[in-house]
Amino acid sequence: MSHTLGIRQAQKQKTRRALLDAALELLEGQNLSSLGLREVTRAVGVAPTAFYRHFRSVADLGVALVEEALDSLHPTIRTTVSTAGDGEERIARAVALIAAHVDAYPAHVRFIIRERHGGVRPVREAIREQLARFAEEVGEALADDPVSAGWSEDDRLMLAQLYVDQMLATASLFLEALETEAGPPERERVTRLAARRLRLIGIGRRHWLDGPAEGDRGTP
Amino acid sequence: MSHTLGIRQAQKQKTRRALLDAALELLEGQNLSSLGLREVTRAVGVAPTAFYRHFRSVADLGVALVEEALDSLHPTIRTTVSTAGDGEERIARAVALIAAHVDAYPAHVRFIIRERHGGVRPVREAIREQLARFAEEVGEALADDPVSAGWSEDDRLMLAQLYVDQMLATASLFLEALETEAGPPERERVTRLAARRLRLIGIGRRHWLDGPAEGDRGTP
DNA sequence: CGGTTGCGATGACAGTTGTTCACTGACCAC
DNA sequence: GTGGTCAGTGAACAACTGTCATCGCAACCG
């Protein structure tokens, strides 16, 4: 764009892309920690040593994948939180957006969900960091919402993390529905389930500042 | 117990235990899909071929670990749901119980959390099945609770799954706090965070049947 | 145009892996 | 006591892994 990079660099980035894509595909059936360097280069059709020109190790490729996968998620999450409309409509749109994202980038979603608690430390931390950024972003959006007016910073972040967690859990369910033979009905079931979960959280949110939960505490 | 099993079978179960324990220890730093059969037998001090006398494959050992790990969690979850007391006290006890369980069986907890979305199909399914059983159990407990009176079966299960998910998320946070050098303060932070999450869910629960969310929908 | 840069290819290294086979020898039922 | 059962052994296999120094050759820069 700014200055057309030479044939050389273009070719390099092309094989880099090929490595990332091949790895992502291979990761549909296994973990990152069991993914071999040679396995990836073989799938691309380059020599094993060529791998080192692009990544220091497989874990390094992993964190590159994290950035890529969560960057693709970023616009989705932004649209989700800024979606206009009343409660029920907001929920429906949010769930639909998650479903659409899973349809568009199933491999990315699976990778993030699988490696979030996976065995490769740097990848885990990269995911955690990016998700924390998401939560922060959601938290800021909540600050502008009248429903969350008067909330403490901590409480807002707590809710934001809850939303992010919910988003991932829902995405995971959609993904499972996607790989099941009986897809569409299961998909519908997940949609309704996710909507009800968000509804319950939303209700809790609206009554958060109602004061001490009624009828719970007898002590002053 | 019923009839003392011979020296032979006792010895066999002993090495079986050794294999399971060694595997669990090795899994603290890696995934099940990257765990080698020889790696396990080497740690125990037996010949690689001895492995086959106990498990068909590493995945097979994995599902055995699932049963063991989630059996240890079973009493904990039972105690949690049946804990008496009002809302706030219930929450505090539940969180404390989770923390205690993580302290008692950190390797088990890490294994479940890591392999829940891991790369080994049969293990994933075993975990899903067991967690579904837990959710069902929690759902039954909710049916006896006056707060959830009048709820549909579906809604009760939705809430139960939400609680189970929350439990795992909280356990994961406690586990991270456990492996951090600055343990105790982080642990306290997680305790408060988890309590607030449960509080919010509890509030949503109490107002679930309040009718259409007030102020949200203008249409009749 | 000529020298330099650097992506990718080659071949080889020492280890590792899962699985097989025939085998030993201690326990256990008869 | 004797013979069978079976947990564990040891050697061997083909295949695989990450990493090394080295090379070729096209693209780049002055």
Side-chain angles (χ1 to χ4, degrees):
Chain A
M1 307 291 188
S2 54
H3 61 77
T4 44
L5 66 176
I7 299 179
R8 198 137 185 197
Q9 307 239 349
Q11 187 54 243
K12 177 170 182 179
Q13 296 223 353
K14 201 170 153 192
T15 61
R16 188 190 137 98
R17 265 252 55 84
L19 287 171
L20 287 168
D21 290 344
L24 205 55
E25 193 166 348
L26 288 167
L27 281 172
E28 291 187 16
Q30 65 189 302
N31 276 328
L32 181 68
S33 65
S34 72
L35 180 68
L37 171 158
R38 295 182 97 111
E39 203 177 345
V40 180
T41 58
R42 195 186 312 131
V44 174
V46 297
T49 49
F51 185 92
Y52 293 108
R53 303 278 182 196
H54 303 273
F55 307 100
R56 208 181 302 272
S57 65
V58 182
D60 208 32
L61 178 146
V63 314
L65 276 180
V66 171
E67 317 247 317
E68 184 174 297
L70 289 187
D71 273 3
S72 84
L73 208 155
H74 209 265
T76 297
I77 212 172
R78 249 207 123 57
T79 315
T80 304
V81 296
S82 68
T83 286
D86 57 30
E88 273 311 309
E89 191 182 323
R90 256 178 104 106
I91 289 176
R93 281 213 223 163
V95 175
L97 259 167
I98 296 173
H101 188 86
V102 173
D103 284 344
Y105 310 93
H108 278 172
V109 173
R110 168 164 34 234
F111 171 71
I112 293 297
I113 289 174
R114 187 164 288 173
E115 300 302 329
R116 184 186 183 191
H117 303 283
V120 185
R121 167 80 64 90
V123 171
R124 241 170 23 218
E125 286 178 354
I127 294 178
R128 192 163 48 83
E129 192 180 336
Q130 294 261 15
L131 290 184
R133 273 186 42 213
F134 282 165
E136 215 168 313
E137 195 168 334
V138 173
E140 289 177 21
L142 288 176
D144 298 339
D145 193 319
V147 182
S148 318
W151 283 41
S152 77
E153 176 80 18
D154 264 14
D155 285 352
R156 249 187 289 128
L157 240 141
M158 177 273 290
L159 179 58
Q161 289 170 346
L162 196 60
Y163 274 134
V164 171
D165 272 14
Q166 256 338 281
M167 190 188 72
L168 286 180
T170 303
S172 173
L173 291 177
F174 274 125
L175 201 61
E176 281 179 30
L178 205 64
E179 357 190 79
T180 311
E181 58 286 354
E186 179 66 5
R187 198 186 152 94
E188 185 57 35
R189 206 184 63 79
V190 170
T191 303
R192 285 203 313 274
L193 176 67
R196 271 182 308 176
R197 284 192 182 185
L198 286 181
R199 202 173 300 142
L200 188 133
I201 293 176
I203 294 175
R205 188 180 155 203
R206 276 191 292 277
H207 293 86
W208 182 248
L209 293 180
D210 279 4
E214 59 266 28
D216 272 349
R217 293 188 54 82
T219 54
Chain B
M1 306 300 183
S2 53
H3 62 75
T4 43
L5 66 177
I7 298 180
R8 192 111 183 227
Q9 307 242 348
Q11 188 54 243
K12 176 170 183 179
Q13 296 222 353
K14 201 171 154 191
T15 62
R16 187 188 139 99
R17 265 251 55 86
L19 287 171
L20 287 168
D21 290 343
L24 205 55
E25 193 166 348
L26 289 167
L27 283 171
E28 292 188 15
Q30 65 189 301
N31 276 327
L32 181 68
S33 66
S34 72
L35 180 68
L37 171 158
R38 296 182 98 112
E39 204 177 344
V40 180
T41 57
R42 195 185 314 130
V44 173
V46 298
T49 49
F51 185 93
Y52 293 107
R53 301 280 178 198
H54 302 272
F55 307 101
R56 206 181 305 270
S57 66
V58 182
D60 206 34
L61 177 146
V63 314
L65 276 180
V66 171
E67 317 247 316
E68 184 174 298
L70 289 187
D71 273 4
S72 84
L73 207 155
H74 210 266
T76 297
I77 211 171
R78 250 207 120 58
T79 314
T80 304
V81 297
S82 69
T83 285
D86 57 33
E88 274 309 309
E89 191 183 324
R90 255 178 104 109
I91 289 176
R93 280 214 223 165
V95 175
L97 259 166
I98 296 173
H101 188 85
V102 173
D103 284 343
Y105 310 94
H108 279 172
V109 172
R110 169 165 33 236
F111 171 70
I112 292 298
I113 289 175
R114 186 163 288 173
E115 300 303 329
R116 184 187 184 190
H117 302 283
V120 185
R121 168 79 64 90
V123 171
R124 241 169 24 217
E125 287 178 354
I127 294 178
R128 193 162 48 83
E129 192 180 336
Q130 293 261 15
L131 290 184
R133 273 186 42 213
F134 282 164
E136 214 168 315
E137 195 168 332
V138 173
E140 287 176 22
L142 288 175
D144 298 339
D145 193 318
V147 183
S148 317
W151 284 41
S152 77
E153 176 80 19
D154 265 13
D155 285 351
R156 248 187 289 129
L157 240 143
M158 178 273 289
L159 180 59
Q161 288 170 346
L162 195 60
Y163 274 134
V164 171
D165 272 14
Q166 257 337 283
M167 190 188 73
L168 285 179
T170 302
S172 172
L173 290 177
F174 274 125
L175 201 60
E176 282 179 29
L178 206 63
E179 10 193 64
T180 310
E181 58 288 353
E186 179 67 5
R187 196 186 154 95
E188 185 56 34
R189 206 184 63 78
V190 171
T191 302
R192 284 202 314 273
L193 176 68
R196 274 183 307 175
R197 286 192 181 184
L198 287 181
R199 202 172 300 143
L200 188 132
I201 293 176
I203 294 176
R205 188 180 155 204
R206 275 191 292 277
H207 293 88
W208 182 248
L209 293 180
D210 280 3
E214 60 266 26
D216 272 349
R217 295 186 52 82
T219 54

